[in-house]
């Protein structure tokens, strides 16, 4: 069953496994910048300035949050306090950051408020200060196995100022937490390159408010100095770094004071139109590298096949075909045959040209006192190749020695390893595609609004969405994507947030409500003020979370890393011991002579066994398969809307024996459809829906949309049907709509609206409504001219495969529980349909979180729990 929305799966220290939804950071624009205080008029301005100066930030540790509902309840509670400027709760890291005015509220009061909500809170004093500890990411080229990654990781960890270093073989990246005061990024790069690998900086950790611009028209030092002076004159500029070779400039800035659009405007105005600036595309730099690597392995594998297939045929197939067998056995010099000479010639380019990458890797590893998989491959293939050369030379120089070569062993081994590398790189490429799909959720362009002095919209301009700055006002048209995180300052609509939050039904948005970048505006025009842009947006955080998950090592992978330093020497030792034991056993006749093939002697048989031990360890499933599986699993999961926090969650998933499901959008599709219509008066069904749709088409409610879509089926023969005009339309939130269509007055809604409108509900209608509820359906009552004429049953159908999923889980002895906010009747009907026995209904979001905590308590020692919401 396809999952809905983005879920975060993680293992907590209590042993419970669960998933939780990423929490967007809503903003309350109605909050004053500075709380009002009783002061004299003469001191008004000075008091306000003092309060602004005293504004402080505090970071709290919040223990116990499991989902977005928890984060939302904490954030709302904090923002209700007098003296709070802003608050943001990070459910991923169990943190809450609060900006407040100490003159009005204390840190203890904030902490007590969090605890009143039901969570443990503690002030993190050291993190409130300016941080010098940053997180740097470096791409490392040339690693082939866990021994390589362990070597780089060890080299980084001994650098003074590095607090933690993690090197992921699958992503070919290093994540380093370092102290900026003690070590620089250049020193980190140098440490990596000293181990024999190429290092490219992805981010320094200071890039949160940094942008790179591509420059056109700037060719000289003088031009660069002009542009540099113009940019430095802007407020909020922290640092500039020009790279004329790539024609780009890196700008660090304060987003509250300036932004990329200002930079481009200044650059282009400096050169009087001769200079041009645009966003420098970072993602394009990584993809060509990946594509080139895939192409290289593919070509190497194809060339190896060109030589290896004939070698295989001459040694394994043609020797059994009369005629060809005699040609291959023909003597060239003494006992050297045509077949042996042919295999020698064909295997040489495979060994030294196509397989040169293994020699390069071995040299780099041995030069730094370590051994990796390349060393094993080089040792194994060289042993087979050079013994075969010895055998061929001896046969050529002797009239009696009949040689037996292993040229096919070295060539086929190199070909198979190249094929494995090619498939591995392809798998990694699919993960990159999954992350790229996440980024594609953001629109390419946005409509920027500018206002005149009276506060009216003066102009609209279409811009690159990457040029949006904090506090910009963006226009979102119906059907368009929200370009950035922000809050609505004008308009109302419904926004589909399923791709970000997982909420299946469109969410009503009006002035003051927060919106998330990448979501889809269903209807109505919205004006949104940008609050979080670029790397601060929810979408960027999701991408970073996926990348961090791919960097995280599974417990079994950590075990593999620990033994990798001993693995290669151990394999070489075992290989030598194998050869020695079998050689001595043959020398002293410890096994029957019939065991030795006719074309071999005891030395050759022992050598073959020794080579087998060495080469069979070359692919190293423990070192390569685990990180690749974690990387591909997290990437594919992200493309399906499921965020998995690292390999530990995947490795522990087999322990799960209790799963909690939400109903709407998880077990069901989340999109209501009309399933039946019951008319209580004589009326043609087509005419009935003609009137109902004419009224409902003016409503933005999801149930109204379902009715209109169903009504269109009666007009399928018409290309463009126009509904009847509805006058005096009135939408009553939570109840229904009223309108006049033609000469008929329509009231459409729930039972409460009918009672309020003094419309009699007959016994037959009440029975129908009870039946619909028992069948997990919503009954919409239609009254025409104050007379009840029909009931429309609308249902949220089950997702395809929902029953099968529950059935499979039951067969695996995994208990399924459904927690929903719907009524008990609907909950029981859906649960019965899918086969779930345990139900919790009429639960609010915060109550759902509490229920999960209750379920975790009795299963701490013996069970694992996962939540799908």
């Amino acid at each position: 069953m396809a999952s809905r929305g983005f879920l975060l799966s993680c293992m907590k220290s209590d042993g419970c496994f669960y998933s939780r939804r990423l929490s967007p950071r809503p903003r309350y624009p109605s909050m004053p910048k500075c709380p009002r205080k009783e002061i004299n008029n003469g001191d008004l301005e000075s008091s306000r300035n003092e309060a602004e100066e005293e504004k402080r930030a505090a970071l709290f540790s919040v223990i116990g949050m499991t989902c977005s509902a928890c984060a939302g309840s904490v954030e709302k509670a904090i923002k209700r306090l007098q003296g709070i400027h802003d608050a943001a709760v990070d459910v991923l890291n169990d943190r809450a950051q609060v900006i407040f005015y100490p003159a009005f509220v204390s840190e203890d009061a904030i902490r007590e408020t969090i605890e009143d909500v039901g969570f443990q809170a503690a002030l993190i004093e050291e993190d409130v200060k300016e941080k010098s500890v940053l997180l740097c990411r470096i791409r490392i080229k040339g690693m082939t196995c866990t021994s390589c990654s362990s070597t780089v990781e060890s080299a980084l960890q001994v650098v003074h100022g590095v607090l933690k270093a993690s090197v992921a073989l699958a992503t070919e990246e290093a994540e380093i937490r370092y102290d900026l005061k003690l070590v620089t990024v250049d020193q980190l790069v140098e440490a990596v390159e000293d181990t024999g690998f190429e290092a490219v900086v992805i981010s320094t950790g200071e890039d949160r408010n940094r942008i790179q611009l591509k420059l056109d028209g700037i060719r000289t030092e003088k031009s660069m100095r002009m542009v540099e002076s113009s940019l430095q004159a802007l407020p909020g500029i922290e640092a500039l770094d020009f790279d004329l070779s790539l024609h780009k400039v890196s700008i660090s800035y304060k987003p509250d004071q300036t932004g990329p659009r200002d930079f481009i405007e200044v650059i282009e105005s400096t050169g009087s139109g001769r200079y041009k600036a645009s966003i420098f595309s970072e993602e394009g730099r990584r993809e060509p590298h990946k594509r080139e690597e895939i192409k290289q392995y593919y070509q190497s594998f194809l060339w190896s096949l060109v030589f290896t297939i004939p070698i295989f045929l001459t040694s394994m197939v043609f020797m059994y075909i009369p005629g060809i067998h005699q040609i291959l056995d023909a003597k060239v010099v003494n006992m050297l045959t045509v077949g042996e000479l042919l295999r020698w010639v064909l295997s040489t380019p495979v060994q030294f040209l196509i397989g040169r990458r293994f020699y390069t890797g071995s040299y780099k590893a041995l030069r730094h006192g370590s051994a990796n998989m390349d060393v094993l491959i080089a040792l194994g293939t060289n042993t087979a190749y050079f013994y075969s050369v010895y055998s061929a030379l001896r046969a050529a120089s002797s009239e009696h020695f009949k040689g037996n070569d292993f040229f096919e062993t070295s060539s086929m081994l190199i070909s198979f390893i190249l094929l494995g590398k090619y498939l591995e790189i392809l798998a990694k490429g699919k993960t990159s595609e999954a992350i790229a799909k996440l980024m594609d959720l953001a629109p390419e362009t946005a409509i920027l609004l500018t206002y005149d002095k009276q506060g009216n919209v003066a102009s609209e301009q279409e811009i690159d969405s990457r040029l949006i700055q904090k506090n910009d006002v963006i226009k979102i048209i119906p059907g368009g994507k929200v370009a950035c995180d922000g809050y609505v300052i004008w308009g109302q609509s419904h926004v589909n947030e399923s791709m970000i939050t997982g909420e299946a039904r469109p969410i009503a948005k009006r002035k003051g409500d927060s919106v998330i970048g990448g979501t889809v505006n269903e209807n109505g025009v919205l004006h949104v003020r940008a609050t979080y842009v670029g790397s601060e947006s929810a979408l960027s955080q999701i991408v970073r979370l996926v990348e961090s998950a791919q960097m995280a090592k599974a417990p079994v992978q950590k075990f593999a890393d620990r033994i990798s330093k001993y693995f290669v020497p151990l394999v070489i030792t075992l290989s030598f011991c194998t050869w020695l034991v079998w050689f001595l056993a043959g020398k002293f006749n410890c096994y029957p002579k019939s065991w030795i093939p006719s074309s071999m002697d005891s030395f050759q048989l022992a050598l073959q066994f020794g080579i087998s031990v060495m080469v069979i360890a070359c692919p190293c499933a423990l070192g390569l398969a685990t990180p690749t599986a974690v990387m591909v699993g997290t990437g594919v999961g992200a493309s399906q809307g499921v965020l998995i926090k690292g390999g530990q969650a995947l490795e522990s998933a087999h322990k799960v024996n209790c799963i909690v499901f939400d109903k709407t959008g998880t077990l069901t599709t989340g999109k209501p459809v009309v399933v039946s219509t019951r008319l209580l008066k004589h009326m043609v069904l087509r005419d009935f829906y003609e009137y109902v749709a004419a009224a409902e088409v003016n409503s933005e409610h999801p149930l109204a949309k379902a009715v209109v879509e169903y009504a269109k089926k009666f007009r399928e023969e018409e290309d463009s049907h126009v509904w009847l005009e509805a006058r005096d339309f009135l939408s009553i939130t939570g109840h229904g709509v009223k309108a006049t269509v033609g000469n008929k007055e329509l009231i459409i809604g729930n039972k409460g609206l009918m009672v309020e409108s003094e419309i009699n509900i007959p016994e037959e209608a009440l029975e129908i409504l009870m039946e619909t509820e028992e069948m997990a359906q919503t009954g919409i009552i239609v009254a025409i001219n104050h007379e009840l004429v029909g009931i429309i049953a609308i249902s949220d159908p089950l997702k395809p495969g929902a029953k099968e999923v529950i059935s499979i889980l039951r067969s695996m002895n995994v208990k399924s529980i459904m927690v929903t906010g719907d009524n008990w009747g609907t909950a029981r009907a859906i649960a019965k349909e899918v086969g779930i026995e345990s139900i919790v209904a009429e639960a609010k979001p915060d109550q759902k979180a509490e229920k999960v905590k209750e379920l975790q308590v009795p299963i701490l020692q013996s069970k694992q729990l996962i939540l799908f919401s």
Side-chain angles (χ1 to χ4, degrees):
M1 180 180 65
S3 294
R4 171 183 62 86
F6 286 105
L7 301 176
L8 173 67
S9 301
C10 51
M11 171 71 70
K12 292 200 77 173
S13 57
D14 59 8
C16 294
F17 185 72
Y18 64 92
S19 295
R20 60 191 182 187
R21 204 178 314 286
L22 284 176
S23 174
R25 297 177 289 185
R27 169 102 180 244
Y28 286 65
S30 58
M31 291 189 303
K33 272 192 172 182
C34 178
R36 291 179 182 174
K37 191 176 178 182
E38 293 298 327
I39 54 176
N40 297 327
N41 291 336
D43 297 332
L44 176 64
E45 191 62 33
S46 60
S47 177
R48 186 177 299 277
N49 290 336
E50 286 175 10
E52 285 288 351
E53 290 174 3
E54 290 177 1
K55 185 170 65 178
R56 286 168 54 186
L59 191 66
F60 294 88
S61 168
V62 184
I63 307 301
M65 296 189 297
T66 58
C67 63
S68 59
C70 302
S73 60
V74 171
E75 191 166 320
K76 288 177 182 177
I78 295 171
K79 288 180 176 178
R80 288 193 190 104
L81 291 172
Q82 178 74 2
I84 299 296
H85 174 74
D86 200 2
V89 179
D90 184 358
V91 72
L92 304 178
N93 298 310
D94 296 327
R95 301 287 175 91
Q97 186 169 16
V98 184
I99 301 174
F100 65 101
Y101 300 92
F104 298 91
V105 66
S106 66
E107 292 166 344
D108 287 338
I110 298 171
R111 179 181 53 78
E112 290 171 3
T113 300
I114 297 173
E115 291 177 345
D116 288 342
V117 181
F119 303 99
Q120 296 179 20
L123 178 66
I124 307 175
E125 296 181 0
E126 61 271 17
D127 282 9
V128 177
K129 302 175 183 178
E130 184 179 353
K131 292 183 178 180
S132 64
V133 177
L134 301 175
L135 189 66
C136 172
R137 290 176 61 224
I138 298 176
R139 184 175 302 119
I140 303 170
K141 300 178 183 178
M143 295 190 299
T144 57
C145 65
T146 52
S147 180
C148 301
S149 59
S150 297
T151 301
V152 176
E153 194 170 293
S154 300
L156 286 169
Q157 285 175 338
V158 298
V159 176
H160 180 61
V162 172
L163 305 180
K164 183 182 179 183
S166 176
V167 180
L169 174 65
T171 58
E172 297 180 338
E173 290 181 8
E175 196 173 74
I176 308 139
R177 194 173 295 277
Y178 69 104
D179 192 332
L180 185 62
K181 297 177 181 178
L182 301 176
V183 65
T184 64
V185 174
D186 291 339
Q187 289 174 308
L188 298 177
V189 171
E190 187 179 347
V192 174
E193 291 178 342
D194 285 345
T195 61
F197 301 99
E198 184 181 348
V200 179
V201 177
I202 301 174
S203 66
T204 63
E206 304 170 277
D207 298 341
R208 191 168 184 82
N209 297 317
R210 175 183 288 187
I211 192 168
Q212 295 183 335
L213 298 179
K214 182 181 179 183
L215 304 175
D216 293 317
I218 299 176
R219 308 294 180 192
T220 64
E221 189 79 15
K222 183 180 178 181
S223 301
M224 186 189 74
R225 294 302 171 202
M226 287 174 57
V227 172
E228 184 177 4
S229 300
S230 300
L231 287 172
Q232 284 179 336
L234 284 173
I237 295 293
E238 295 180 330
L240 295 173
D241 182 17
F242 284 84
D243 187 342
L244 281 179
S245 61
L246 293 174
H247 301 289
K248 73 169 185 175
V249 58
S250 299
I251 307 171
S252 297
Y253 63 97
K254 295 178 180 178
D256 292 329
Q257 299 180 27
T258 186
R261 210 167 53 254
D262 296 335
F263 308 149
I264 292 174
E265 184 180 342
V266 166
I267 292 171
E268 294 182 350
S269 62
T270 300
S272 301
R274 290 180 291 114
Y275 305 152
K276 297 292 181 184
S278 58
I279 300 290
F280 187 84
S281 178
E282 277 290 340
E283 57 269 16
R285 299 174 61 194
R286 179 173 182 176
E287 292 309 311
H289 162 66
K290 282 292 180 187
R291 287 196 294 268
E292 185 63 28
E293 192 175 14
I294 292 172
K295 183 180 178 182
Q296 286 178 0
Y297 273 110
Y298 179 68
Q299 290 178 342
S300 297
F301 173 63
L302 288 183
W303 276 112
S304 69
L305 284 184
V306 169
F307 295 100
T308 302
I309 290 176
I311 295 173
F312 171 76
L313 293 175
T314 56
S315 61
M316 302 288 184
V317 179
F318 292 161
M319 60 184 295
Y320 299 106
I321 301 176
I324 300 178
H325 171 64
Q326 281 75 17
I327 295 173
L328 293 176
D329 274 350
K331 304 296 188 292
V332 179
V333 179
N334 290 330
M335 296 298 290
L336 179 65
T337 63
V338 171
E340 196 169 7
L341 180 62
L342 188 61
R343 288 191 291 274
W344 186 2
V345 171
L346 290 172
S347 66
T348 300
V350 177
Q351 183 71 35
F352 298 107
L353 296 179
I354 298 172
R356 69 182 180 277
R357 67 178 70 241
F358 303 119
Y359 290 98
T360 305
S362 301
Y363 170 72
K364 289 179 179 178
L366 293 173
R367 190 181 66 179
H368 293 91
S370 63
N372 58 12
M373 292 302 143
D374 288 338
V375 174
L376 287 183
I377 296 169
L379 273 176
T381 56
N382 276 319
T383 303
Y385 177 82
F386 283 109
Y387 175 78
S388 301
V389 171
Y390 158 76
S391 178
L393 290 175
R394 187 177 174 187
S397 59
S398 172
E399 296 181 0
H400 306 289
F401 178 79
K402 185 180 180 181
N404 185 44
D405 62 270
F406 296 114
F407 287 121
E408 78 283 351
T409 301
S410 64
S411 299
M412 291 179 69
L413 179 62
I414 289 173
S415 297
F416 277 122
I417 289 173
L418 286 174
L419 174 61
K421 288 282 186 182
Y422 172 66
L423 294 175
E424 179 189 341
I425 296 296
L426 272 184
K428 293 177 182 178
K430 290 180 180 178
T431 301
S432 300
E433 291 173 10
I435 295 177
K437 286 179 182 178
L438 292 180
M439 295 305 297
D440 287 343
L441 289 175
E444 294 182 359
T445 60
I447 302 173
L448 176 68
L449 300 180
T450 53
Y451 290 82
D452 56 22
K453 293 180 180 179
Q454 287 72 37
N456 300 318
V457 176
S459 65
E460 297 182 4
Q461 178 187 1
E462 187 172 354
I463 63 170
D464 189 318
S465 61
R466 293 173 295 180
L467 297 178
I468 297 174
Q469 298 177 187
K470 204 167 186 179
N471 294 321
D472 279 347
V473 177
I474 306 299
K475 179 181 179 181
I476 315 296
I477 61 175
K481 288 185 177 181
V482 179
C484 61
D485 295 1
Y487 60 87
V488 179
I489 62 171
W490 180 88
Q492 60 181 19
S493 179
H494 282 77
V495 176
N496 186 343
E497 298 182 341
S498 60
M499 68 285 295
I500 300 293
T501 66
E503 183 59 47
R505 292 180 179 176
I507 307 300
K509 300 291 181 181
R510 52 179 56 84
K511 185 177 179 180
D513 290 339
S514 61
V515 292
I516 307 170
T519 55
V520 179
N521 183 24
E522 296 268 314
N523 45 40
V525 177
L526 296 175
H527 292 180
V528 174
R529 186 174 298 280
T531 54
Y532 300 106
V533 296
S535 60
E536 295 181 344
S537 67
L539 194 57
S540 296
Q541 290 179 28
I542 290 170
V543 172
R544 283 202 300 272
L545 180 67
V546 176
E547 291 174 340
S548 297
Q550 292 174 348
M551 290 292 298
K553 295 181 179 180
V556 69
Q557 190 178 339
K558 292 177 182 177
F559 173 72
D561 289 349
R562 284 198 300 272
I563 68 171
S564 63
K565 63 178 71 175
Y566 311 108
F567 182 75
V568 175
L570 179 64
V571 169
I572 294 172
T573 303
L574 288 175
S575 177
F576 176 76
C577 292
T578 302
W579 169 81
L580 184 62
V581 168
W582 278 95
F583 175 70
L584 293 175
K587 199 74 173 173
F588 295 105
N589 300 317
C590 295
Y591 58 81
K593 294 290 184 183
S594 59
W595 286 14
I596 305 175
S598 58
S599 59
M600 291 186 184
D601 57 22
S602 61
F603 174 82
Q604 292 174 325
L605 181 65
L607 181 65
Q608 195 172 48
F609 285 144
I611 292 173
S612 299
V613 171
M614 188 178 298
V615 299
I616 203 170
C618 291
C620 187
L622 189 63
L624 294 178
T626 303
T628 303
V630 170
M631 182 184 182
V632 175
T634 52
V636 174
S639 67
Q640 297 295 322
V642 180
L643 293 187
I644 304 168
K645 196 175 182 182
Q648 184 171 358
L650 286 172
E651 189 174 330
S652 303
H654 73 281
K655 300 177 183 177
V656 172
N657 57 12
C658 181
I659 298 182
V660 179
F661 291 93
D662 187 23
K663 181 184 75 68
T664 306
T666 304
L667 294 173
T668 64
T669 61
K671 295 180 179 179
V673 295
V674 175
V675 292
S676 66
T677 309
R678 304 282 290 273
L679 296 179
L680 303 179
K681 300 291 180 181
H682 292 290
M683 191 175 186
V684 178
L685 190 61
R686 177 191 176 107
D687 295 339
F688 171 79
Y689 272 104
E690 187 76 17
Y691 284 107
V692 173
E696 292 282 35
V697 76
N698 298 283
S699 173
E700 297 177 348
H701 198 280
L703 296 182
K705 289 183 179 181
V707 171
V708 173
E709 284 299 316
Y710 185 77
K712 288 179 181 178
K713 295 180 180 179
F714 294 96
R715 301 289 183 179
E716 288 181 348
E717 70 279 0
E718 300 179 17
D719 294 332
S720 57
H721 176 70
V722 179
W723 301 111
L724 297 172
E725 182 184 356
R727 304 187 310 276
D728 304 325
F729 177 81
L730 176 64
S731 177
I732 305 169
T733 305
H735 291 281
V737 300
K738 293 181 179 181
T740 301
V741 180
N743 60 352
K744 300 183 184 295
E745 182 183 350
L746 273 74
I747 300 176
I748 307 169
N750 57 21
K751 187 165 62 174
L753 180 60
M754 299 300 141
V755 173
E756 186 181 310
S757 303
E758 298 181 352
I759 296 174
N760 180 49
I761 304 176
E763 193 67 32
E764 182 184 358
L766 292 173
E767 292 177 0
I768 294 172
L769 290 172
M770 192 177 296
E771 288 176 12
T772 58
E773 184 176 317
E774 290 174 355
M775 296 172 66
Q777 298 169 358
T778 301
I780 296 179
I781 304 172
V782 179
I784 299 178
N785 293 334
H786 282 76
E787 188 177 8
L788 198 150
V789 297
I791 296 175
I792 302 172
I794 296 180
S795 173
D796 185 5
L798 285 178
K799 278 187 176 179
K803 292 181 182 179
E804 288 77 4
V805 168
I806 302 301
S807 177
I808 291 170
L809 290 174
R810 189 186 297 111
S811 66
M812 296 167 62
N813 294 322
V814 176
K815 183 179 180 181
S816 298
I817 301 174
M818 186 177 76
V819 179
T820 177
D822 281 354
N823 60 67
W824 279 98
T826 302
R828 288 193 183 97
I830 291 293
K832 183 179 180 182
E833 194 171 352
V834 296
I836 293 178
E837 297 177 357
S838 301
I839 313 165
V840 177
E842 298 178 0
K844 295 178 182 179
D846 54 342
Q847 293 173 332
K848 292 181 183 180
E850 288 299 322
K851 185 61 183 177
V852 172
K853 291 178 184 177
E854 290 176 15
L855 290 168
Q856 287 175 336
V857 172
I859 61 176
L860 287 180
Q861 301 300 324
S862 59
K863 296 184 179 180
Q864 305 293 326
L865 175 70
I866 186 170
L867 170 66
F868 283 112
S869 57

